[in-house]
Amino acid sequence: MDPIAFQIGALSIRWYGVMAALGFITAMFLLEYNRKFANASKDQCSTLLFLAMISGVLGARIFYVVQFFHFYRDNLWGIIRIDQGGLVFYGGFLLALVTVTVYSRMKKLDIIRILDIFVPALTAAHGLGRIGCFLNGCCFGRATKLWWGIKAPAGSALELAAGSAPLHPVQLLEAGENFLLCILFCYLLRKVKRGVVISSYLAIYGFLRFFNELLRGDNVLYAGLTPAQWIGTMLCISGCGLIIYFQRKPNEPAA
């Protein structure tokens, strides 16, 4: 659990950035692999991925800074230090969703199918990003006595924030969930109707994130729930409603 992957002279390369780069490469591969299901060209998918990445990082950082602005009141320069962690997935997801939708409309692409093919890419990149969170020591879990508890390295920033007790490895749990979802949705993309993949993702991930938040140790509560739990609840309900809607539409299954 060392945030530094390696050093080149005075330059420190952090695991957070390494895993983000691997996530981008993996997402690019999966979009290329699945783009035929949305009748999108290679150039269109490359542009979509680039726009989603930029807007995703920006939205995730904005959401984090707004949620934890008290950390930055006396250190405004730290707002741009995303290499040190501090991204909220939902903020990135929502802004990237808007960006992908606008671009798809401009290029007259099928927005729903574009969102469908983005799901496997998103889950794979998200899973790798959570491994980066684990190595970086952010997004940590609550203290636990279970066998899977992991202790923060002595003297690390994580130990200062969370203490020396073993913690739930919630980042690795969510990484594993995302990798399984990636496999599931790569399969469903070939079997189910248009819109069912993105709808199922919203419902399943919203539910899983609500549960995962019960193990987190770094979030504040609002009316008894964390911000991610509130958003996860809304996504889960919306996703379930959209699954019913798309299943009832008289269109052919993806082939």
Side-chain angles (χ1 to χ4, degrees):
M1 200 183 295
D2 183 354
I4 306 299
F6 56 90
Q7 289 187 300
I8 304 175
L11 177 63
S12 297
I13 306 299
R14 301 175 72 93
W15 278 114
Y16 202 83
V18 171
M19 299 312 294
L22 286 176
F24 178 79
I25 294 170
T26 304
M28 184 167 54
F29 168 79
L30 286 169
L31 275 181
E32 172 62 22
Y33 182 65
N34 292 318
R35 65 183 175 85
K36 62 184 177 182
F37 296 104
N39 293 318
S41 70
K42 186 172 184 177
D43 286 344
Q44 288 170 332
C45 282
S46 297
T47 301
L48 277 166
L49 181 59
F50 177 76
L51 292 174
M53 180 189 69
I54 298 300
S55 59
V57 171
L58 181 61
R61 187 59 173 175
I62 290 172
F63 203 98
Y64 181 87
V65 171
V66 170
Q67 187 175 343
F68 299 103
F69 185 71
H70 55 281
F71 292 150
Y72 299 100
R73 283 199 179 97
D74 300 321
N75 180 29
L76 295 180
W77 176 252
I79 290 175
I80 66 173
R81 292 299 306 273
I82 61 172
D83 60 307
Q84 297 179 354
L87 302 175
V88 175
F89 171 74
Y90 280 135
F93 173 77
L94 293 173
L95 188 55
L97 178 64
V98 171
T99 303
V100 168
T101 299
V102 170
Y103 178 85
S104 298
R105 186 175 294 277
M106 289 173 56
K107 297 297 181 179
K108 295 181 171 31
L109 296 171
D110 185 334
I111 296 172
I112 302 302
R113 288 306 279 168
I114 289 293
L115 293 177
D116 280 343
I117 68 168
F118 252 87
V119 169
L122 172 63
T123 50
H126 192 187
L128 289 167
R130 282 306 186 203
I131 294 176
C133 290
F134 175 77
L135 295 170
N136 193 59
C138 60
C139 306
F140 52 86
R142 297 178 183 274
T144 180
K145 294 182 179 180
L146 294 178
W147 60 269
W148 68 359
I150 295 177
K151 284 191 174 184
S156 66
L158 177 57
E159 186 184 48
L160 293 175
S164 59
L167 306 173
H168 287 291
V170 65
Q171 311 99 317
L172 299 182
L173 173 64
E174 189 164 344
E177 291 168 349
N178 273 286
F179 293 146
L180 290 175
L181 289 179
C182 178
I183 296 170
L184 171 65
F185 289 125
C186 277
Y187 172 77
L188 290 181
L189 194 57
R190 291 151 175 78
K191 299 294 182 180
V192 299
K193 290 183 177 181
R194 170 182 176 273
V196 173
V197 168
I198 180 61
S199 304
S200 299
Y201 169 74
L202 296 178
I204 296 172
Y205 182 73
F207 171 79
L208 290 175
R209 186 57 185 269
F210 188 98
F211 169 76
N212 291 341
E213 287 292 300
L214 299 175
L215 307 180
R216 286 281 289 267
D218 63 335
N219 280 333
V220 295
L221 299 180
Y222 297 91
L225 299 176
T226 69
Q229 285 178 316
W230 284 112
I231 297 173
T233 299
M234 290 185 287
L235 287 183
C236 188
I237 294 172
S238 300
C240 289
L242 287 171
I243 291 172
I244 296 172
Y245 169 76
F246 284 115
Q247 284 284 25
R248 288 181 174 178
K249 288 196 71 174
N251 63 317
E252 293 296 323

